Amino acid sequence: MKVPISRRLLCCAGLVPAGARVADVGCDHGYLGIYLLREGIVQWVVATDLREKPLQKARQNADQFGTADRMDFSVADGLAAVAPEAVDTIVIAGMGGDNIAAILEAAPWVRDPQYTLILQPQTSGNDLRRYLGRAGFFIETERLVRDGGFLYFTILARYGGGRPLTPGEQYLSPQLLHSGDPLLPDYFDRILPALERTVAGIRAGGDQQKLQYYQQALDEVREMRDSYERAADS
């Protein structure tokens, strides 16, 4: 029986190290952890969710697919129920980048290079990248995936070696820019019009501090696109 896992979660799964012990935060129906165990990629999964109803469904799915004996389930906010010694890989997907940043900030033990962080925000990716850089996390890689008509990016980060990112880098990290990902042109097509609309709206409202940030981000991303296109044409 095939696990009904989405393409965006498969992208997360593709970044999980072999033999890992995984915390799946905001696990919803548990399909990521079930898939990882069924495929023999990992040995243990701690599945948490803020709500009891989806977690109960995750338990039922784990029973159905024969992985319940290798999973632990907890109703919890973020990483509150995860013991640091129980995992080495943390997956947080399906929520806003600001929420992911808050979860990491509330668990200072993740500031240790032994932990692999796999993060897939639905919104506010710039807020998440900003937090990661300021908190000292280094983005090792990013991948893009299209699922259900939407374009998602997945970050693999680790503590140590991070630096504050410029406004443009908060929208498109150097790792993603130089990844050669075939979906990069589509990603430019998504973020540039959004930044242009934001700049136009702020300019009409007169908030100069916000305008400076978003205008710099727009200028940088435009230059990134031009550089990418020049390299592609050469």
Side-chain angles (χ1 to χ4, degrees), residues 15 38 42 68-69 146 152 166 179 184:
L15 293 172
R38 290 264 295 189
V42 306
D69 61 333
R146 188 178 296 282
Y152 299 91
T166 68
S179 67
L184 260 175

Side-chain angles (χ1 to χ4, degrees), residues 78-136:
L79 288 159
V82 178
E85 66 276 8
V87 300
D88 52 43
T89 300
I90 298 162
V91 181
I92 312 177
M95 61 187 77
D98 49 349
N99 289 336
I100 295 175
I103 287 171
L104 297 176
E105 182 65 16
W109 54 268
V110 303
R111 297 192 181 193
D112 186 319
Q114 72 173 301
Y115 296 107
T116 300
L117 307 182
I118 299 170
L119 314 171
Q120 189 185 77
Q122 301 275 22
T123 59
S124 304
N126 61 312
D127 291 331
L128 177 57
R129 291 193 190 93
R130 182 189 306 120
Y131 168 78
L132 291 172
R134 288 178 176 175

